């Protein structure tokens, strides 16, 4: 039997040597792909054009004979980049879809090369130690308690699922989940997934949960109850009145989960953290670092004020955490996730925190919030546009003056089709609004002027 030649591995002492020329090819293809978009945030032509390009580039997905590493990388990476909606472009601002920092992506490459898996210590000795140190340090940013803890998740959806699961394990299967109509769709979906009674949705006509509405609901809802509040709504970036909600939960003996996937990182900023007063009173928090943390997907957290709250996740599989191995001192990692094989997402997060420091990260957060305020002021002062409200975080809702909802929807799709801007949409006050979610800290005032000029040129009223 002959050993395979020409398929070098990424790890080991020779891995970096094999990777370096391949990375040159990848980086060149990223550059030429972006150049193919000629300055646009996404390719022109819509789904039919992009799909046709992908089909032509791929050809036979599994050819009988391979084309080799460099050709495959060049073709597919180029196709990906040329057809990307690139969040690093200042006019790509629809979703909570951040442009990742180069340092985080570089760290993620090392994670992929060594491929540690966080389901047992013998697959991830240093990675598991880094994860344990990072999660404890991050949890302490949100909880002023002796033993806070956090789990790394794939994002807000998984964190919300875990939060509801932990609440169910505390209180049993008759748990009622109360959430505002402004909550992320993953909250009622998690209740469905976990076989809980259907979650109760409370109306939020102002965009946030009204304490009076919640008080009425808590008075009539059978216990046990979990209230979920939102710190940074996906549609408008609004923050529920957390202290009042936490008080009501205390009075009624309800547990509180706060979904701070979007807004949670404001806690790092001395300028903005006052908006999150009450955050630490929750039984669990959802935080996403692939939003205002500039990480490549996936980088989520579920934080809890006390590590014992995670105990229901303890699980045993003899091949991963045999009792005698654990007794002999090998860390037991299975209770840190519902997943088994698991990427070391902690590496890119820890690297970013170390590189930027508290002041560097805070500066990015503050500056991005400042950009959103600047855009809002420009739109508010503009006769052709109507601003919904000054932003709380970095989301700006606006619409052309006198436009119908159909006009707004068509404008958004036209810009997408032309490849000129990626804006989101959301309903508020019974009308459809355009949504700019600013997450790019390198966007300039000039970029925002260009965006407005672009919108003006595409509005025919
Ligand atoms: C983005 C978001 C989520 C979902 O997070 P994913 O990382 O996409 O799974 C949940 N809740 C809120 C408030 C969000 O903004």
């Amino acid at each position: 039997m002959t050993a395979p030649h020409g398929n070098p591995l990424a790890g080991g002492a020779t891995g970096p040597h094999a990777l370096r020329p391949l990375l040159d090819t990848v980086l060149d293809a990223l550059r030429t792909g972006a150049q193919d978009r000629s300055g646009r945030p996404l390719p022109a032509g819509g789904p039919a054009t992009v799909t046709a390009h992908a089909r032509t580039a791929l050809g036979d997905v599994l050819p009988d004979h391979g084309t080799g590493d460099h050709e495959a990388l060049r073709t597919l990476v180029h196709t990906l980049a040329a057809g990307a909606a690139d969040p690093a472009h200042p006019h790509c601002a629809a979703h909570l879809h951040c442009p990742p920092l180069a340092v985080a992506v570089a760290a993620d490459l090392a994670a992929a090369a060594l491929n540690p898996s966080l389901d047992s210590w013998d697959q991830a000795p240093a990675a598991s130690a880094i994860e344990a140190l990072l999660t404890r340090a991050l949890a302490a940013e949100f909880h002023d308690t002796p033993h806070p803890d956090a789990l790394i998740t794939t994002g807000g959806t998984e964190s919300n699922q875990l939060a509801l699961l932990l609440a169910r394990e505390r209180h049993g299967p008759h748990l009622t989940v109360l959430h505002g109509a402004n909550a992320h769709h993953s909250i009622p979906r998690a209740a469905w997934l976990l076989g809980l009674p259907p979650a109760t949705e409370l109306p939020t006509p102002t965009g946030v949960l009204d304490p009076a509405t919640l008080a009425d609901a808590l008075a009539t809802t059978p216990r046990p109850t979990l209230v979920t509040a939102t710190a940074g709504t996906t549609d408008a970036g609004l923050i529920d009145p957390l202290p009042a909600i936490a008080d009501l939960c205390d009075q009624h003996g309800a547990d509180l989960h706060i979904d701070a996937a979007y807004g949670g990182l404001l806690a790092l900023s001395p300028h903005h953290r006052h908006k999150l007063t009450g955050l630490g009173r929750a039984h669990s928090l959802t935080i996403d670092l692939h939003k205002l943390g500039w990480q490549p997907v996936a980088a989520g957290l579920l934080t809890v004020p006390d590590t014992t709250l995670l105990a229901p996740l303890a699980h045993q599989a003899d091949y991963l955490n045999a009792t005698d191995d654990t007794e002999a001192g090998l860390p037991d990692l299975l209770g840190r996730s519902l997943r088994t094989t698991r990427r070391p997402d902690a590496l890119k997060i820890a690297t970013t925190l170390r590189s930027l420091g508290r002041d560097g990260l805070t500066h990015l957060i503050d500056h991005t919030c400042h950009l959103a305020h600047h855009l809002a002021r420009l739109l508010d002062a503009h006769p052709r546009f109507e601003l919904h409200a000054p932003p709380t975080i970095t989301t700006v809702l606006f619409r052309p003056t006198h436009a119908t909802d159909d006009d707004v929807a068509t404008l958004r799709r036209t810009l997408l089709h032309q490849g000129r801007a990626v804006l989101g949409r959301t309903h508020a006050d019974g009308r459809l609004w355009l949504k700019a979610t600013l997450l790019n800290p390198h966007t300039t005032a000039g970029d925002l002027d260009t965006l407005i000029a672009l919108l003006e040129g595409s509005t025919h009223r």
Side-chain angles (χ1 to χ4, degrees), residues 74-383:
R74 202 161 35 238
T75 304
L76 286 180
V77 175
H78 182 96
T79 303
L80 182 79
D86 185 354
H89 191 292
H91 299 164
C92 184
H95 301 285
L96 287 160
H97 170 208
C98 78
L101 293 168
V103 64
V105 173
D108 214 21
L109 173 71
L114 288 167
N115 211 24
S117 180
L118 274 291
D119 44 331
S120 64
W121 187 85
D122 57 5
Q123 300 175 82
S128 59
I130 291 170
E131 182 179 277
L133 294 165
L134 173 79
T135 48
R136 258 172 250 143
L138 280 177
E141 294 292 325
F142 302 100
H143 304 280
D144 191 12
T145 45
H147 303 290
D149 204 352
L151 302 179
I152 304 252
T153 68
T154 51
T157 300
E158 187 189 346
S159 297
N160 286 339
Q161 286 169 358
L162 285 168
L164 266 64
L165 170 67
L166 293 175
R168 187 194 72 182
E169 293 305 291
R170 288 195 294 277
H171 299 291
H174 301 294
L175 178 77
T176 304
V177 176
L178 284 179
H179 67 88
N182 63 352
H184 193 258
H185 60 84
S186 60
I187 296 281
R189 213 176 190 201
W192 164 77
L193 174 71
L194 292 164
L196 295 171
T200 303
E201 179 181 294
L202 305 176
T204 50
T206 63
V208 294
L209 202 48
D210 172 23
T213 306
L214 179 61
D216 289 347
L218 281 167
T220 55
T221 302
R223 240 47 65 67
T225 313
L226 173 74
V227 172
T228 72
T230 310
T233 59
T234 313
D235 280 344
L238 299 173
I239 299 174
D240 283 337
L242 305 178
I245 291 170
D247 287 346
L248 285 168
C249 289
D250 285 349
Q251 283 162 29
H252 291 268
D255 280 8
L256 174 62
H257 168 67
I258 301 178
D259 178 355
Y262 177 16
L265 270 262
L266 295 185
L268 297 183
S269 162
H271 289 106
H272 294 286
R273 71 166 61 113
H274 66 94
K275 296 175 184 166
L276 298 178
T277 302
L279 194 71
R281 294 173 63 185
H283 289 80
S284 52
L285 297 178
T286 287
I287 311 275
D288 259 350
L289 286 118
H290 55 229
K291 290 174 178 172
L292 277 177
W294 293 283
Q295 298 300 300
V297 173
L301 287 179
L302 178 79
T303 75
V304 291
D306 194 279
T307 186
T308 57
L309 286 162
L310 300 176
L313 297 177
H315 187 68
Q316 227 234 317
D318 209 46
Y319 74 108
L320 293 172
N321 58 353
T323 310
D324 56 307
D325 274 350
T326 305
E327 281 169 6
L330 293 187
D332 171 2
L333 306 179
L334 265 197
R336 309 292 298 174
S337 181
L338 289 183
R339 289 176 281 154
T340 306
T341 301
R342 199 155 66 74
R343 280 173 59 82
D345 291 317
L347 180 71
K348 65 195 176 196
I349 301 172
T351 306
T352 303
L353 297 183
R354 182 179 176 95
S355 165
L356 275 69
R358 190 181 290 278
D359 54 353
L361 199 51
T362 298
H363 179 70
L364 290 186
I365 293 167
D366 289 356
H367 182 67
T368 310
C369 291
H370 174 78
L371 283 169
H373 278 276
H374 182 69
L375 177 62
R377 276 193 301 271
L378 292 176
L379 289 163
D380 202 23
H382 199 299

